[in-house]
mmCIF file of all heavy atoms in Angstrom:
data_model
loop_
_atom_site.group_PDB
_atom_site.id
_atom_site.type_symbol
_atom_site.label_atom_id
_atom_site.label_comp_id
_atom_site.label_asym_id
_atom_site.label_seq_id
_atom_site.Cartn_x
_atom_site.Cartn_y
_atom_site.Cartn_z
ATOM 1 N N LYS A 37 -0.563 -10.065 8.807
ATOM 2 C CA LYS A 37 -1.398 -9.787 9.977
ATOM 3 C C LYS A 37 -0.791 -8.729 10.891
ATOM 4 O O LYS A 37 -1.502 -8.069 11.634
ATOM 5 C CB LYS A 37 -1.652 -11.065 10.778
ATOM 6 C CG LYS A 37 -2.575 -12.021 10.062
ATOM 7 C CD LYS A 37 -2.893 -13.216 10.918
ATOM 8 C CE LYS A 37 -3.860 -14.128 10.187
ATOM 9 N NZ LYS A 37 -4.249 -15.274 11.000
ATOM 10 N N LYS A 38 0.538 -8.550 10.820
ATOM 11 C CA LYS A 38 1.219 -7.565 11.671
ATOM 12 C C LYS A 38 1.524 -6.255 10.949
ATOM 13 O O LYS A 38 2.020 -5.324 11.569
ATOM 14 C CB LYS A 38 2.541 -8.148 12.180
ATOM 15 C CG LYS A 38 2.393 -9.362 13.046
ATOM 16 C CD LYS A 38 3.760 -9.771 13.541
ATOM 17 C CE LYS A 38 4.003 -11.214 13.211
ATOM 18 N NZ LYS A 38 5.369 -11.623 13.467
ATOM 19 N N LEU A 39 1.245 -6.174 9.655
ATOM 20 C CA LEU A 39 1.576 -4.989 8.862
ATOM 21 C C LEU A 39 0.800 -3.774 9.359
ATOM 22 O O LEU A 39 -0.422 -3.817 9.481
ATOM 23 C CB LEU A 39 1.261 -5.252 7.392
ATOM 24 C CG LEU A 39 1.770 -4.236 6.388
ATOM 25 C CD1 LEU A 39 3.299 -4.309 6.292
ATOM 26 C CD2 LEU A 39 1.166 -4.489 5.022
ATOM 27 N N LYS A 40 1.530 -2.688 9.665
ATOM 28 C CA LYS A 40 0.913 -1.456 10.174
ATOM 29 C C LYS A 40 1.098 -0.354 9.135
ATOM 30 O O LYS A 40 2.219 -0.096 8.680
ATOM 31 C CB LYS A 40 1.537 -1.051 11.501
ATOM 32 C CG LYS A 40 1.284 -2.058 12.613
ATOM 33 C CD LYS A 40 1.947 -1.659 13.903
ATOM 34 C CE LYS A 40 3.416 -1.705 13.765
ATOM 35 N NZ LYS A 40 4.231 -2.648 14.375
ATOM 36 N N ILE A 41 -0.005 0.273 8.778
ATOM 37 C CA ILE A 41 0.000 1.285 7.721
ATOM 38 C C ILE A 41 -0.530 2.601 8.262
ATOM 39 O O ILE A 41 -1.483 2.626 9.036
ATOM 40 C CB ILE A 41 -0.892 0.825 6.550
ATOM 41 C CG1 ILE A 41 -0.377 -0.491 5.985
ATOM 42 C CG2 ILE A 41 -0.957 1.886 5.460
ATOM 43 C CD1 ILE A 41 -1.299 -1.109 4.988
ATOM 44 N N GLN A 42 0.099 3.681 7.823
ATOM 45 C CA GLN A 42 -0.465 5.000 8.096
ATOM 46 C C GLN A 42 -0.730 5.680 6.759
ATOM 47 O O GLN A 42 0.046 5.548 5.812
ATOM 48 C CB GLN A 42 0.427 5.831 8.999
ATOM 49 C CG GLN A 42 1.759 6.226 8.457
ATOM 50 C CD GLN A 42 2.541 7.062 9.464
ATOM 51 O OE1 GLN A 42 2.034 7.443 10.510
ATOM 52 N NE2 GLN A 42 3.769 7.353 9.137
ATOM 53 N N ILE A 43 -1.854 6.379 6.687
ATOM 54 C CA ILE A 43 -2.261 7.080 5.477
ATOM 55 C C ILE A 43 -2.415 8.546 5.855
ATOM 56 O O ILE A 43 -3.184 8.878 6.755
ATOM 57 C CB ILE A 43 -3.586 6.516 4.929
ATOM 58 C CG1 ILE A 43 -3.439 5.004 4.691
ATOM 59 C CG2 ILE A 43 -3.999 7.237 3.665
ATOM 60 C CD1 ILE A 43 -4.729 4.287 4.487
ATOM 61 N N VAL A 44 -1.672 9.387 5.173
ATOM 62 C CA VAL A 44 -1.691 10.807 5.507
ATOM 63 C C VAL A 44 -2.058 11.630 4.286
ATOM 64 O O VAL A 44 -1.812 11.243 3.144
ATOM 65 C CB VAL A 44 -0.345 11.287 6.106
ATOM 66 C CG1 VAL A 44 -0.079 10.617 7.433
ATOM 67 C CG2 VAL A 44 0.797 11.039 5.154
ATOM 68 N N ASN A 45 -2.658 12.773 4.542
ATOM 69 C CA ASN A 45 -3.079 13.686 3.499
ATOM 70 C C ASN A 45 -1.858 14.391 2.917
ATOM 71 O O ASN A 45 -0.907 14.702 3.614
ATOM 72 C CB ASN A 45 -4.062 14.708 4.072
ATOM 73 C CG ASN A 45 -4.990 15.261 3.036
ATOM 74 O OD1 ASN A 45 -5.089 14.733 1.939
ATOM 75 N ND2 ASN A 45 -5.674 16.317 3.383
ATOM 76 N N LYS A 46 -1.888 14.643 1.629
ATOM 77 C CA LYS A 46 -0.804 15.324 0.923
ATOM 78 C C LYS A 46 -1.429 16.404 0.055
ATOM 79 O O LYS A 46 -2.535 16.236 -0.463
ATOM 80 C CB LYS A 46 -0.038 14.303 0.079
ATOM 81 C CG LYS A 46 1.154 14.853 -0.633
ATOM 82 C CD LYS A 46 1.879 13.741 -1.379
ATOM 83 C CE LYS A 46 3.068 14.365 -2.095
ATOM 84 N NZ LYS A 46 3.875 13.374 -2.757
ATOM 85 N N ALA A 47 -0.727 17.504 -0.134
ATOM 86 C CA ALA A 47 -1.270 18.613 -0.913
ATOM 87 C C ALA A 47 -1.498 18.226 -2.373
ATOM 88 O O ALA A 47 -2.512 18.568 -2.969
ATOM 89 C CB ALA A 47 -0.339 19.819 -0.829
ATOM 90 N N TYR A 48 -0.545 17.495 -2.970
ATOM 91 C CA TYR A 48 -0.672 17.145 -4.378
ATOM 92 C C TYR A 48 0.028 15.812 -4.652
ATOM 93 O O TYR A 48 1.121 15.578 -4.153
ATOM 94 C CB TYR A 48 -0.046 18.223 -5.270
ATOM 95 C CG TYR A 48 -0.161 17.917 -6.729
ATOM 96 C CD1 TYR A 48 -1.350 18.110 -7.409
ATOM 97 C CD2 TYR A 48 0.914 17.379 -7.419
ATOM 98 C CE1 TYR A 48 -1.470 17.805 -8.746
ATOM 99 C CE2 TYR A 48 0.810 17.075 -8.766
ATOM 100 C CZ TYR A 48 -0.382 17.288 -9.422
ATOM 101 O OH TYR A 48 -0.503 16.969 -10.738
ATOM 102 N N GLY A 49 -0.593 14.967 -5.425
ATOM 103 C CA GLY A 49 0.031 13.728 -5.867
ATOM 104 C C GLY A 49 -0.058 12.591 -4.866
ATOM 105 O O GLY A 49 -0.810 12.644 -3.896
ATOM 106 N N TYR A 50 0.731 11.567 -5.150
ATOM 107 C CA TYR A 50 0.749 10.350 -4.352
ATOM 108 C C TYR A 50 2.195 9.939 -4.132
ATOM 109 O O TYR A 50 3.014 10.022 -5.047
ATOM 110 C CB TYR A 50 0.034 9.201 -5.081
ATOM 111 C CG TYR A 50 -1.423 9.451 -5.298
ATOM 112 C CD1 TYR A 50 -1.866 10.251 -6.345
ATOM 113 C CD2 TYR A 50 -2.357 8.890 -4.455
ATOM 114 C CE1 TYR A 50 -3.213 10.483 -6.541
ATOM 115 C CE2 TYR A 50 -3.702 9.115 -4.645
ATOM 116 C CZ TYR A 50 -4.124 9.914 -5.688
ATOM 117 O OH TYR A 50 -5.456 10.138 -5.860
ATOM 118 N N SER A 51 2.526 9.506 -2.947
ATOM 119 C CA SER A 51 3.857 8.975 -2.669
ATOM 120 C C SER A 51 3.760 8.073 -1.453
ATOM 121 O O SER A 51 2.752 8.053 -0.751
ATOM 122 C CB SER A 51 4.871 10.096 -2.435
ATOM 123 O OG SER A 51 4.547 10.829 -1.276
#
Side-chain angles (χ1 to χ4, degrees):
K37 289 185 178 183
K38 297 184 234 171
L39 191 69
K40 296 178 294 250
I41 300 171
Q42 65 180 353
I43 304 166
V44 295
N45 206 13
K46 184 177 179 176
Y48 181 78
Y50 296 80
S51 65

